Amino acid sequence: KMAIMPPAQASLERLTQRLPLLQQLKIAGTLQPAVVAKLLPALKTDVQMLGDDKLLEQLPEPKRAQARKLREEATKLPEQLSQP
């Protein structure tokens, strides 16, 4: 039987996996504009989830701190990705 994952936890996990990869692709110059366009809406949704204090309360404290830090990093990402 699988437990249901809180939405903030799911967003935290997605961003934890995606941010380093996107940053590496950007640095390597292999990140395609079409990929950025496709991923930005999901990234923005995840950032919004991590910005909702009620949703963050569902996470244990160490995860909340991680989520806040990740949210700050992810908030800057769309602008970084759109720069050549």
Side-chain angles (χ1 to χ4, degrees), residues 6-28:
Q9 177 70 34
S11 290
L12 177 62
E13 289 185 12
R14 278 191 299 271
L15 286 176
T16 299
Q17 293 172 355
R18 291 178 179 171
L19 281 180
L21 177 61
L22 289 171
Q23 290 166 338
Q24 289 173 354
L25 291 172
K26 175 67 176 168
I27 290 169

mmCIF file of all heavy atoms in Angstrom, residues 6-28:
data_model
loop_
_atom_site.group_PDB
_atom_site.id
_atom_site.type_symbol
_atom_site.label_atom_id
_atom_site.label_comp_id
_atom_site.label_asym_id
_atom_site.label_seq_id
_atom_site.Cartn_x
_atom_site.Cartn_y
_atom_site.Cartn_z
ATOM 1 N N PRO A 6 2.498 14.317 0.081
ATOM 2 C CA PRO A 6 2.014 15.702 0.108
ATOM 3 C C PRO A 6 2.507 16.453 -1.131
ATOM 4 O O PRO A 6 3.622 16.204 -1.604
ATOM 5 C CB PRO A 6 2.634 16.287 1.379
ATOM 6 C CG PRO A 6 3.017 15.118 2.216
ATOM 7 C CD PRO A 6 3.301 13.997 1.256
ATOM 8 N N PRO A 7 1.696 17.364 -1.659
ATOM 9 C CA PRO A 7 2.091 18.099 -2.873
ATOM 10 C C PRO A 7 3.432 18.817 -2.733
ATOM 11 O O PRO A 7 4.226 18.837 -3.674
ATOM 12 C CB PRO A 7 0.958 19.102 -3.080
ATOM 13 C CG PRO A 7 -0.208 18.531 -2.357
ATOM 14 C CD PRO A 7 0.348 17.742 -1.222
ATOM 15 N N ALA A 8 3.689 19.396 -1.579
ATOM 16 C CA ALA A 8 4.963 20.104 -1.393
ATOM 17 C C ALA A 8 6.139 19.127 -1.467
ATOM 18 O O ALA A 8 7.202 19.467 -1.987
ATOM 19 C CB ALA A 8 4.971 20.854 -0.059
ATOM 20 N N GLN A 9 5.943 17.923 -0.975
ATOM 21 C CA GLN A 9 6.996 16.899 -1.030
ATOM 22 C C GLN A 9 7.283 16.515 -2.483
ATOM 23 O O GLN A 9 8.437 16.392 -2.896
ATOM 24 C CB GLN A 9 6.593 15.661 -0.228
ATOM 25 C CG GLN A 9 7.591 14.520 -0.287
ATOM 26 C CD GLN A 9 8.878 14.807 0.462
ATOM 27 O OE1 GLN A 9 8.862 15.488 1.479
ATOM 28 N NE2 GLN A 9 9.982 14.294 -0.043
ATOM 29 N N ALA A 10 6.223 16.358 -3.262
ATOM 30 C CA ALA A 10 6.394 16.011 -4.675
ATOM 31 C C ALA A 10 7.135 17.131 -5.411
ATOM 32 O O ALA A 10 8.048 16.870 -6.208
ATOM 33 C CB ALA A 10 5.032 15.750 -5.321
ATOM 34 N N SER A 11 6.759 18.385 -5.134
ATOM 35 C CA SER A 11 7.441 19.517 -5.772
ATOM 36 C C SER A 11 8.900 19.574 -5.359
ATOM 37 O O SER A 11 9.780 19.816 -6.187
ATOM 38 C CB SER A 11 6.741 20.828 -5.392
ATOM 39 O OG SER A 11 5.487 20.902 -6.001
ATOM 40 N N LEU A 12 9.153 19.344 -4.078
ATOM 41 C CA LEU A 12 10.522 19.351 -3.571
ATOM 42 C C LEU A 12 11.365 18.296 -4.281
ATOM 43 O O LEU A 12 12.480 18.571 -4.729
ATOM 44 C CB LEU A 12 10.513 19.111 -2.063
ATOM 45 C CG LEU A 12 11.871 19.012 -1.383
ATOM 46 C CD1 LEU A 12 12.658 20.306 -1.518
ATOM 47 C CD2 LEU A 12 11.694 18.656 0.090
ATOM 48 N N GLU A 13 10.830 17.109 -4.422
ATOM 49 C CA GLU A 13 11.569 16.030 -5.078
ATOM 50 C C GLU A 13 11.832 16.332 -6.547
ATOM 51 O O GLU A 13 12.929 16.101 -7.052
ATOM 52 C CB GLU A 13 10.840 14.705 -4.901
ATOM 53 C CG GLU A 13 10.909 14.206 -3.478
ATOM 54 C CD GLU A 13 10.311 12.830 -3.285
ATOM 55 O OE1 GLU A 13 10.038 12.128 -4.285
ATOM 56 O OE2 GLU A 13 10.127 12.458 -2.120
ATOM 57 N N ARG A 14 10.811 16.859 -7.245
ATOM 58 C CA ARG A 14 11.007 17.191 -8.668
ATOM 59 C C ARG A 14 12.090 18.254 -8.837
ATOM 60 O O ARG A 14 12.978 18.134 -9.683
ATOM 61 C CB ARG A 14 9.697 17.662 -9.287
ATOM 62 C CG ARG A 14 8.770 16.553 -9.701
ATOM 63 C CD ARG A 14 7.626 17.061 -10.549
ATOM 64 N NE ARG A 14 6.789 18.028 -9.856
ATOM 65 C CZ ARG A 14 5.732 17.719 -9.101
ATOM 66 N NH1 ARG A 14 5.371 16.458 -8.959
ATOM 67 N NH2 ARG A 14 5.022 18.653 -8.524
ATOM 68 N N LEU A 15 12.001 19.320 -8.028
ATOM 69 C CA LEU A 15 12.987 20.393 -8.157
ATOM 70 C C LEU A 15 14.382 19.930 -7.755
ATOM 71 O O LEU A 15 15.373 20.340 -8.358
ATOM 72 C CB LEU A 15 12.565 21.606 -7.318
ATOM 73 C CG LEU A 15 11.407 22.416 -7.884
ATOM 74 C CD1 LEU A 15 11.006 23.524 -6.924
ATOM 75 C CD2 LEU A 15 11.741 23.005 -9.243
ATOM 76 N N THR A 16 14.457 19.081 -6.753
ATOM 77 C CA THR A 16 15.752 18.554 -6.322
ATOM 78 C C THR A 16 16.423 17.790 -7.461
ATOM 79 O O THR A 16 17.639 17.851 -7.630
ATOM 80 C CB THR A 16 15.580 17.634 -5.090
ATOM 81 O OG1 THR A 16 15.028 18.410 -4.020
ATOM 82 C CG2 THR A 16 16.891 17.038 -4.650
ATOM 83 N N GLN A 17 15.636 17.099 -8.264
ATOM 84 C CA GLN A 17 16.182 16.339 -9.386
ATOM 85 C C GLN A 17 16.442 17.225 -10.607
ATOM 86 O O GLN A 17 17.450 17.064 -11.293
ATOM 87 C CB GLN A 17 15.222 15.217 -9.774
ATOM 88 C CG GLN A 17 15.087 14.155 -8.722
ATOM 89 C CD GLN A 17 13.981 13.167 -9.044
ATOM 90 O OE1 GLN A 17 13.252 13.317 -10.018
ATOM 91 N NE2 GLN A 17 13.846 12.149 -8.212
ATOM 92 N N ARG A 18 15.544 18.136 -10.877
ATOM 93 C CA ARG A 18 15.619 18.897 -12.129
ATOM 94 C C ARG A 18 16.588 20.069 -12.107
ATOM 95 O O ARG A 18 17.240 20.345 -13.122
ATOM 96 C CB ARG A 18 14.226 19.412 -12.504
ATOM 97 C CG ARG A 18 13.291 18.313 -12.912
ATOM 98 C CD ARG A 18 11.923 18.845 -13.219
ATOM 99 N NE ARG A 18 11.043 17.753 -13.624
ATOM 100 C CZ ARG A 18 9.751 17.884 -13.789
ATOM 101 N NH1 ARG A 18 9.171 19.044 -13.591
ATOM 102 N NH2 ARG A 18 9.019 16.859 -14.166
ATOM 103 N N LEU A 19 16.655 20.794 -10.992
ATOM 104 C CA LEU A 19 17.481 21.999 -10.982
ATOM 105 C C LEU A 19 18.943 21.730 -11.320
ATOM 106 O O LEU A 19 19.485 22.397 -12.202
ATOM 107 C CB LEU A 19 17.382 22.713 -9.627
ATOM 108 C CG LEU A 19 16.129 23.552 -9.432
ATOM 109 C CD1 LEU A 19 16.139 24.208 -8.064
ATOM 110 C CD2 LEU A 19 15.995 24.603 -10.497
ATOM 111 N N PRO A 20 19.599 20.783 -10.660
ATOM 112 C CA PRO A 20 21.010 20.556 -11.016
ATOM 113 C C PRO A 20 21.195 20.149 -12.479
ATOM 114 O O PRO A 20 22.132 20.608 -13.142
ATOM 115 C CB PRO A 20 21.447 19.425 -10.076
ATOM 116 C CG PRO A 20 20.476 19.457 -8.949
ATOM 117 C CD PRO A 20 19.184 19.946 -9.536
ATOM 118 N N LEU A 21 20.303 19.331 -12.979
ATOM 119 C CA LEU A 21 20.402 18.888 -14.364
ATOM 120 C C LEU A 21 20.234 20.064 -15.329
ATOM 121 O O LEU A 21 21.023 20.228 -16.266
ATOM 122 C CB LEU A 21 19.350 17.815 -14.666
ATOM 123 C CG LEU A 21 19.306 17.312 -16.097
ATOM 124 C CD1 LEU A 21 20.629 16.679 -16.499
ATOM 125 C CD2 LEU A 21 18.163 16.328 -16.277
ATOM 126 N N LEU A 22 19.239 20.894 -15.086
ATOM 127 C CA LEU A 22 19.023 22.047 -15.959
ATOM 128 C C LEU A 22 20.203 23.015 -15.903
ATOM 129 O O LEU A 22 20.622 23.550 -16.935
ATOM 130 C CB LEU A 22 17.730 22.778 -15.566
ATOM 131 C CG LEU A 22 16.451 22.029 -15.899
ATOM 132 C CD1 LEU A 22 15.246 22.717 -15.269
ATOM 133 C CD2 LEU A 22 16.269 21.914 -17.402
ATOM 134 N N GLN A 23 20.743 23.212 -14.718
ATOM 135 C CA GLN A 23 21.903 24.099 -14.594
ATOM 136 C C GLN A 23 23.110 23.534 -15.342
ATOM 137 O O GLN A 23 23.829 24.280 -16.008
ATOM 138 C CB GLN A 23 22.212 24.337 -13.114
ATOM 139 C CG GLN A 23 21.155 25.193 -12.447
ATOM 140 C CD GLN A 23 21.223 25.190 -10.926
ATOM 141 O OE1 GLN A 23 21.770 24.273 -10.327
ATOM 142 N NE2 GLN A 23 20.657 26.212 -10.322
ATOM 143 N N GLN A 24 23.311 22.231 -15.258
ATOM 144 C CA GLN A 24 24.427 21.602 -15.976
ATOM 145 C C GLN A 24 24.241 21.728 -17.486
ATOM 146 O O GLN A 24 25.200 22.019 -18.215
ATOM 147 C CB GLN A 24 24.545 20.129 -15.594
ATOM 148 C CG GLN A 24 25.056 19.897 -14.199
ATOM 149 C CD GLN A 24 24.991 18.435 -13.791
ATOM 150 O OE1 GLN A 24 24.464 17.596 -14.514
ATOM 151 N NE2 GLN A 24 25.522 18.124 -12.622
ATOM 152 N N LEU A 25 23.023 21.490 -17.957
ATOM 153 C CA LEU A 25 22.760 21.606 -19.395
ATOM 154 C C LEU A 25 22.956 23.039 -19.872
ATOM 155 O O LEU A 25 23.476 23.269 -20.965
ATOM 156 C CB LEU A 25 21.346 21.124 -19.719
ATOM 157 C CG LEU A 25 21.101 19.627 -19.561
ATOM 158 C CD1 LEU A 25 19.615 19.322 -19.718
ATOM 159 C CD2 LEU A 25 21.926 18.833 -20.545
ATOM 160 N N LYS A 26 22.543 24.003 -19.059
ATOM 161 C CA LYS A 26 22.708 25.416 -19.415
ATOM 162 C C LYS A 26 24.191 25.757 -19.520
ATOM 163 O O LYS A 26 24.633 26.376 -20.481
ATOM 164 C CB LYS A 26 22.014 26.291 -18.366
ATOM 165 C CG LYS A 26 22.224 27.773 -18.554
ATOM 166 C CD LYS A 26 21.568 28.278 -19.808
ATOM 167 C CE LYS A 26 21.728 29.791 -19.902
ATOM 168 N NZ LYS A 26 21.375 30.308 -21.187
ATOM 169 N N ILE A 27 24.964 25.333 -18.535
ATOM 170 C CA ILE A 27 26.404 25.606 -18.532
ATOM 171 C C ILE A 27 27.078 24.945 -19.736
ATOM 172 O O ILE A 27 27.943 25.537 -20.375
ATOM 173 C CB ILE A 27 27.044 25.126 -17.209
ATOM 174 C CG1 ILE A 27 26.586 26.024 -16.066
ATOM 175 C CG2 ILE A 27 28.567 25.111 -17.297
ATOM 176 C CD1 ILE A 27 26.920 25.506 -14.679
ATOM 177 N N ALA A 28 26.661 23.736 -20.055
ATOM 178 C CA ALA A 28 27.251 23.004 -21.185
ATOM 179 C C ALA A 28 26.801 23.557 -22.533
ATOM 180 O O ALA A 28 27.366 23.209 -23.567
ATOM 181 C CB ALA A 28 26.887 21.524 -21.085
#
